[in-house]
Amino acid sequence: MLALNLSKDAIKFLAKLPQKHARQVVEKIQNLRLHPFPQDSKTLKGYLYYRADSGENRIIYEVIKTSLDILIIGKRNDDAVYKKLKNKKG
């Protein structure tokens, strides 16, 4: 099982979610720790990051050796997730 690192942004987003949705996202993250590259994950073009969806939410993450780093969690249909990602890169 991979070690888990959540960014401050990811923790803040999880804290604001309704309990049911937060539970779904946490369950997806736990599954990613066991299987970091499930069929529904995709590589983001121009990045070494992956994305996975959990209900209405998108999880942006990277895997470095034995660590799963959750960079951003956000609404699936919201471009703000990708704007935050661009800000992290640049």
Side-chain angles (χ1 to χ4, degrees), residues 43-49 89:
T43 304
L44 296 178
K45 292 180 183 176
Y47 298 95
L48 296 175
Y49 304 139
K89 185 179 181 184

Side-chain angles (χ1 to χ4, degrees), residues 1 11 20 28-29 36 42-43 52 54 56 58 62 66 72 74-75 88-89:
M1 182 179 287
I11 292 169
K20 178 183 176 186
K28 181 67 171 189
I29 290 171
K42 294 187 178 181
T43 304
S54 174
E56 295 295 317
R58 178 154 289 157
E62 66 181 334
T66 61
I72 301 170
K75 292 283 184 195
K88 282 188 181 290
K89 185 179 181 184

Side-chain angles (χ1 to χ4, degrees), residues 19-72:
Q19 188 176 18
K20 178 183 176 186
H21 297 157
R23 224 180 2 251
Q24 289 173 339
V25 171
V26 168
E27 184 177 326
K28 181 67 171 189
I29 290 171
Q30 291 299 335
N31 288 334
L32 289 172
R33 289 179 72 193
L34 295 171
H35 308 286
F37 308 109
Q39 276 187 319
D40 67 337
S41 73
K42 294 187 178 181
T43 304
L44 296 178
K45 292 180 183 176
Y47 298 95
L48 296 175
Y49 304 139
Y50 301 89
R51 77 161 212 231
D53 296 334
S54 174
E56 295 295 317
N57 298 293
R58 178 154 289 157
I59 302 165
I60 308 295
Y61 66 98
E62 66 181 334
V63 177
I64 301 174
K65 295 185 182 182
T66 61
S67 177
L68 174 68
D69 298 338
I70 306 297
L71 305 171
I72 301 170

